[in-house]
Amino acid sequence: MIRVENLTKTYGKKNNTFRALSNVSFDIPDGASVAIVGKSGSGKSTLMHAMSGLDRPEEGKVIIDGTDILTLRNKTVDRFRSEKIGFIFQAFFIQANETTYDNVALPLEIGGINGRERKRRVEEALRTVELDDKLKQKAGNLSGGQKQRLAIARAIVNKPSIIFADEPTGNLDSTTGAVIEDLLFKLNKQEGSTLIVVTHDHDLAKRCDMQIYVKDGEVERIDTKKGRK
Amino acid sequence: MKTVDIANRARRSLRNAKARTILTSLAIGVGAFTIAVSLAAGEGARQYADKLIGANVNPQVLFIVEDSALFDGGFQQPALQEYNPDATTTGNGATITQLTQADVDELAERDDLEFVTPTYQPQVTYITFGGVDKKFSADVATYDPTIMMESSVGTLPELGEQLADDAIVLPDSFGDILIEQNVIETKDELIGMKVTMTASKPSASLSSEEIQQAFMSGGQAAVVALASGETREFGFEVVGLSKQSATALTGTTSMQIAASKARAISEFTTEGTSSYQKYLGVTALATEGNDPEVVKAELIEEGYGVQSARDLQAVIFTIVNTLQGIVLGFGVVALIASVFGIINTQYISVLERTREIGLMKALGMRGRSVSRLFQFEAAWIGFLGGLIGSGIAITAGTLLNPWITEVLDLGEGNSILIFQPIPIVLMIIGLIIIAMIAGWFPARKAAKLDPIEALRTE
Ligand SMILES: Nc1ncnc2c1ncn2[C@@H]1O[C@H](COP(=O)(O)OP(=O)(O)O)[C@@H](O)[C@H]1O
Ligand SMILES: [Mg+2]
């Protein structure tokens, strides 16, 4: 379970400060699919960065499996991300010059998983996203949808317990976007990992178990399948 | 993250930026080429010098003088000195105290020295061959029994044996001159031919009474005879012609006679002068089983100036090393320039790959690993540069060596560029280290990159 408590993030210094997050709190149960919804500039990405241990807001707590990750040492946070978190970005951020295989192998290399186990996991992840026929292909030559599938394979290859997807369909046409959405929800069900999608697409948000609406850095409202909270 | 994985990623990312990688490596390659060539040339020159010394200088040889100022040309001497009757003036104006016959005898008696031979200076007025009237002049030197010399015609004594008293060895080139001068028709005729040297003693300074007396008894002719001094003929028989080899330094332009004859001639010509039985130096061999360096130390303790074969080698090596150092300097300058090239390209690479770095850090890659990734890339560039530079140097050197040997007339089988694996490997390792040091600044920038900033898309 993820518990966010009174999270506040301020940009800038002294008299020129800007509150990107103020006093944000909520709980996310394990295995849930969650949408963080809001307009551009509302603070969705900032919230995601704080929850994934990329950023360190000055106030509040992010408690994952009982540990406040904001209090961990850098080295431990890096390992936490490497082992527990998967990322999917709007702009894919795949390494265009590397093969699909080497793109997917990167998190395993970082995590120190070697040899046969690495190969097995990479191939399995690529099979899951149906790119196993493009093993040796340069990632730059893939189509947009294939690139995002590749990014998904990279996100799931280390079997993370939480997957963050920041506007995962933002750069795709609606048909391709739908395929990616289906894939994400399928994985969420199959693997039991928590899926946190940052989006301003209300249709996508509705498919999630839980919607956190953000406005001007504050939580406006939280919806769950069972009802409004 | 495992070092292998980092190194592989570094290699791949360089391969993906081929043009940039090759251009940056070429910059290092220029330095590597210069250094490889200077190392090879230095080694070649040292080996050649060694061969030269080995062929011409007995390792046991010692050159002994009274005054070690001779070795440094007397540069440390004060301009005004007390008069010394045993001293002479060298070519470059230094006043050198000479060895006396007593010194020579003392040295000859030592049992750690053999072949003690003073540097006689036999000066003859003219030379005739085989009774032919034509008069020639040439340098006369003492035959050195400590060097194996080869003959083109006739036979020379075994190594270590002095010439017979009346034997003479001529340089092979003299044979050609004598044929040209119609003294002989073939070189073979020279063997057994009589050679006569005429030496003259300079007239002693005459007093006015002596001149008057001579004039009274014999008139003008008697005075001329008295003033022109005394002459004496020394007869020899040619035993052989010495051949010039590419690596021979001595025995090429002088006629060589036995030490005893050289002594006789120089004593005849100097008798009654202050140079009589005075010698600039003595050559001797440390006897077998005696380390020449130990004997040298002992002699120096006794007040002599001594140089050994090793000193001669050291002098030549110093020259070689200095020249090598200059060329090496150019290589180092080229390397320093290429260091900035590496820093520059790697900085650009970091800027270009901001996203990639941000992603890797977001995925939990440690800053240290990111830094290592860029340092490995720099290391690969250094390695490639070293490989390119030394590869070109070795190829060019191997192809040019026969030509250089011919142009410089070094003699068959001598090469001036000798590439050795260990210095080249060490150089490449050095280049890798230099490249990594140069890559440190960009690598640090990459390591410190904030992943959030790097992955910002807006
Ligand atoms: N490094 C920064 N310095 C100053 N302001 C920032 C910085 N990063 C984000 N912001 C501001 O914080 C707000 C929230 O940003 P973000 O979380 O990226 O919004 P979004 O909901 O579009 O993902 C925006 O107004 C943005 O301009
Ligand atoms: Mg955003």
Side-chain angles (χ1 to χ4, degrees):
Chain A
M1 140 141 157
I2 305 168
R3 162 164 287 175
V4 174
E5 270 180 37
N6 305 322
L7 208 57
T8 299
K9 169 78 189 181
T10 317
Y11 286 116
K13 277 177 194 143
K14 284 181 186 163
N15 39 17
N16 190 23
T17 56
F18 175 77
R19 271 199 163 189
L21 290 177
S22 51
N23 220 18
V24 172
S25 301
F26 53 80
D27 287 352
I28 295 172
D30 280 343
S33 57
V34 183
I36 298 174
V37 198
K39 288 197 185 111
S40 180
S42 54
K44 307 182 295 290
S45 295
T46 308
L47 178 57
M48 182 190 108
H49 294 150
M51 289 169 72
S52 58
L54 278 174
D55 200 2
R56 283 179 190 271
E58 51 284 350
E59 278 173 52
K61 290 176 181 171
V62 175
I63 300 163
I64 296 174
D65 299 336
T67 327
D68 180 5
I69 61 163
L70 300 183
T71 61
L72 297 174
R73 288 162 51 215
N74 276 337
K75 190 177 176 174
T76 323
V77 173
D78 283 343
R79 200 172 55 230
F80 159 79
R81 279 205 311 279
S82 159
E83 288 172 357
K84 299 242 168 92
I85 307 286
F87 286 103
I88 296 160
F89 303 95
Q90 176 176 4
F92 319 139
F93 293 138
I94 53 161
Q95 296 175 301
N97 278 323
E98 300 269 24
T99 61
T100 54
Y101 183 96
D102 286 322
N103 264 281
V104 179
L106 179 62
L108 299 178
E109 287 177 22
I110 292 170
I113 292 157
N114 305 309
R116 239 192 255 156
E117 173 68 2
R118 183 195 292 176
K119 190 167 183 290
R120 195 187 62 73
R121 286 221 211 164
V122 171
E123 285 169 359
E124 188 192 310
L126 282 168
R127 215 175 304 122
T128 309
V129 301
E130 290 170 21
L131 281 177
D132 45 335
D133 56 333
K134 303 243 180 320
L135 225 65
K136 295 266 175 290
Q137 197 148 322
K138 278 262 159 78
N141 297 336
L142 299 175
S143 70
Q146 288 172 330
K147 280 180 183 157
Q148 198 59 304
R149 263 148 63 198
L150 178 61
I152 293 172
R154 187 181 60 198
I156 60 171
V157 75
N158 57 352
K159 306 232 176 279
S161 46
I162 308 165
I163 294 176
F164 287 96
D166 194 350
E167 312 267 13
T169 57
N171 272 11
L172 301 172
D173 61 76
S174 52
T175 331
T176 324
V179 174
I180 296 297
E181 281 176 29
D182 291 344
L183 184 58
L184 286 173
F185 285 110
K186 193 178 103 189
L187 286 169
N188 169 244
K189 297 269 151 17
Q190 272 176 10
E191 311 286 326
S193 53
T194 308
L195 174 67
I196 300 173
V197 189
V198 171
T199 186
H200 54 255
D201 176 351
H202 287 270
D203 292 332
L204 171 57
K206 291 229 173 66
R207 292 184 68 176
C208 296
D209 303 334
M210 181 178 176
Q211 293 82 26
I212 300 169
Y213 292 92
V214 183
K215 191 182 177 190
D216 298 333
E218 290 178 46
V219 175
E220 198 182 23
R221 125 178 154 244
I222 297 175
D223 287 353
T224 60
K225 283 241 161 109
K226 289 158 205 153
R228 213 167 265 192
K229 206 173 159 186
Chain B
M1 194 163 166
K2 285 260 161 55
T3 308
V4 206
D5 294 326
I6 298 177
N8 274 327
R9 288 217 166 243
R11 187 176 46 77
R12 286 204 302 270
S13 93
L14 285 178
R15 204 184 49 201
N16 290 328
K18 275 196 194 75
R20 186 173 63 199
T21 306
I22 289 173
L23 287 176
T24 318
S25 310
L26 272 181
I28 297 193
V30 172
F33 173 84
T34 316
I35 290 175
V37 168
S38 76
L39 289 174
E43 184 57 32
R46 273 190 295 269
Q47 283 194 19
Y48 181 67
D50 234 10
K51 212 170 191 174
L52 219 59
I53 293 166
N56 291 286
V57 181
N58 188 312
Q60 294 289 100
V61 82
L62 294 171
F63 186 62
I64 305 160
V65 298
E66 178 65 35
D67 188 349
S68 59
L70 182 65
F71 296 139
D72 42 52
F75 291 125
Q76 273 93 36
Q77 286 187 336
L80 182 64
Q81 295 177 72
E82 198 182 336
Y83 172 71
N84 178 349
D86 285 344
T88 186
T89 307
T90 64
N92 46 21
T95 306
I96 299 294
T97 311
Q98 292 178 290
L99 290 166
T100 62
Q101 188 60 44
D103 293 325
V104 175
D105 293 342
E106 194 185 298
L107 288 169
E109 260 169 45
R110 295 178 63 109
D111 43 3
D112 53 3
L113 289 178
E114 56 184 356
F115 293 110
V116 175
T117 315
T119 52
Y120 299 116
Q121 285 164 318
Q123 284 180 348
V124 298
T125 318
Y126 58 85
I127 303 155
T128 59
F129 294 90
V132 177
D133 264 351
K134 225 168 212 167
K135 292 173 182 172
F136 293 88
S137 59
D139 250 7
V140 180
T142 312
Y143 182 81
D144 188 345
T146 66
I147 306 167
M148 190 60 225
M149 237 186 298
E150 281 177 65
S151 61
S152 57
V153 186
T155 43
L156 302 183
E158 302 260 303
L159 185 69
E161 303 251 337
Q162 185 48 271
L163 282 177
D165 250 7
D166 61 346
I168 187 166
V169 175
L170 308 183
D172 184 66
S173 60
F174 280 30
D176 300 321
I177 297 167
L178 290 172
I179 291 173
E180 213 172 280
Q181 296 282 335
N182 299 318
V183 177
I184 52 168
E185 269 161 20
T186 64
K187 288 184 188 174
D188 296 327
E189 285 173 44
L190 277 173
I191 306 304
M193 183 176 269
K194 278 197 74 73
V195 174
T196 311
M197 296 185 185
T198 306
S200 32
K201 186 189 295 207
S203 55
S205 43
L206 302 170
S207 67
S208 58
E209 274 148 65
E210 281 174 312
I211 294 172
Q212 210 164 14
Q213 206 168 21
F215 189 73
M216 301 274 268
S217 60
Q220 185 89 31
V223 178
V224 172
L226 186 67
S228 68
E230 192 186 333
T231 64
R232 187 181 293 176
E233 290 187 347
F234 296 86
F236 300 90
E237 215 180 273
V238 178
V239 294
L241 300 187
S242 62
K243 195 162 69 177
Q244 160 140 38
S245 81
T247 47
L249 286 175
T250 53
T252 55
T253 57
S254 305
M255 314 175 85
Q256 294 175 77
I257 57 176
S260 55
K261 269 290 171 52
R263 177 176 184 172
I265 296 174
S266 62
E267 285 186 356
F268 170 72
T269 56
T270 57
E271 199 179 344
T273 71
S274 67
S275 311
Y276 184 68
Q277 290 194 345
K278 299 278 169 53
Y279 310 105
L280 217 51
V282 160
T283 54
L285 295 189
T287 46
E288 282 239 355
N290 274 313
D291 181 352
E293 296 304 317
V294 174
V295 179
K296 173 186 161 181
E298 270 174 38
L299 288 169
I300 287 174
E301 198 145 296
E302 285 169 33
Y304 294 104
V306 184
Q307 284 204 325
S308 61
R310 199 184 293 172
D311 294 326
L312 179 58
Q313 193 191 43
V315 169
I316 294 179
F317 278 20
T318 308
I319 297 168
V320 171
N321 290 346
T322 309
L323 292 175
Q324 190 187 14
I326 293 169
V327 182
L328 222 66
F330 284 114
V332 170
V333 170
L335 272 189
I336 290 171
S338 69
V339 159
F340 290 103
I342 294 178
I343 295 178
N344 187 44
T345 17
Q346 287 296 91
Y347 259 127
I348 292 170
S349 180
V350 169
L351 289 179
E352 273 181 359
R353 288 153 66 194
T354 305
R355 290 274 164 82
E356 182 188 337
I357 299 162
L359 173 82
M360 291 189 291
K361 293 195 76 176
L363 296 185
M365 189 158 161
R366 304 280 313 149
R368 241 189 42 220
S369 299
V370 174
S371 161
R372 289 250 293 282
L373 176 68
F374 280 85
Q375 291 224 285
F376 274 126
E377 289 188 19
W380 275 109
I381 290 174
F383 176 71
L384 269 179
L387 225 54
I388 292 173
S390 48
I392 293 175
I394 291 171
T395 315
T398 313
L399 291 177
L400 287 180
N401 252 336
W403 179 77
I404 297 172
T405 302
E406 203 182 302
V407 169
L408 297 182
D409 199 12
L410 299 177
E412 199 72 30
N414 294 315
S415 307
I416 205 67
L417 293 173
I418 295 176
F419 296 94
Q420 288 182 306
I422 292 171
I424 286 181
V425 168
L426 288 180
M427 178 192 75
I428 292 177
I429 293 173
L431 290 179
I432 292 174
I433 293 169
I434 290 171
M436 286 178 84
I437 293 170
W440 185 81
F441 303 96
R444 205 176 59 142
K445 187 181 167 67
K448 287 198 165 167
L449 214 77
D450 176 7
I452 299 175
E453 290 297 318
L455 293 175
R456 186 176 297 283
T457 37
E458 293 94 321

